[in-house]
Amino acid sequence: MIASRLKHHLEAQGLPFGTVRHPYTATAAECAESAHVPGDHLAKSVLIHMEEGPVLAVVPSNQTVDLHALQTIMDRRLGLAPEHELNQVFDDCDPGAAPCVGAAYHVPTVIDDSLTGLDKVWFEAGDHKTLIEMKGDDFDTLMKDAKHGSFCTVH
């Protein structure tokens, strides 16, 4: 299942994409393994709380957000958003299965540089059983309005 707002946004962009079904997984690392995709090519979403409102940080699934580095890039005090805020923003998605396309949800997005220039990229479609698959060039186009920087670390 593709979340309705994500599907509408992807179709409006006119960029080709496919879907990959996989058994239910609870974490991004399990998802990459279950779907047989490289963890450094699976974009993971982390909702960040700022005083001005939420921002979506996007990192590879095998990495975590370095909040100190992200605070420097954003020049703001940041913290992880509480789960209820995540569920409010991504209300057409299963809890914990937020897509990395903040533009579909009117949420500013910052993406780690390591996800740029890849051959293929995968990301959550809004449930815990479906991934969106895109050519890297198309993903880069999809994320062209996101802020870019280096802010992830191996966990």
Side-chain angles (χ1 to χ4, degrees), residues 58-106:
V58 181
V59 297
S61 69
N62 60 353
Q63 305 277 318
T64 58
V65 173
D66 178 338
L67 275 176
H68 180 71
L70 187 56
Q71 282 182 155
T72 301
I73 290 168
M74 301 298 290
D75 194 28
R76 300 275 188 283
R77 286 184 47 125
L78 307 172
L80 295 176
E83 192 170 328
H84 75 273
E85 191 172 350
L86 184 70
N87 294 339
Q88 287 173 345
V89 171
F90 297 98
D91 61 357
D92 64 342
C93 300
D94 290 348
C100 67
V101 186
Y105 296 86
H106 308 291

Side-chain angles (χ1 to χ4, degrees), residues 20-43:
V20 175
R21 299 283 296 158
H22 60 85
Y24 177 91
T25 56
T27 68
E30 290 172 1
C31 179
E33 186 176 326
S34 175
H36 307 288
V37 302
D40 60 347
H41 286 54
L42 175 61

Side-chain angles (χ1 to χ4, degrees), residues 91-129:
D91 61 357
D92 64 342
C93 300
D94 290 348
C100 67
V101 186
Y105 296 86
H106 308 291
V107 176
T109 303
V110 58
I111 185 168
D112 191 81
D113 291 335
S114 63
L115 287 166
T116 302
L118 300 174
D119 57 340
K120 277 192 181 179
V121 177
W122 292 264
F123 57 90
E124 283 285 358
D127 64 12
H128 291 277
K129 298 179 186 176

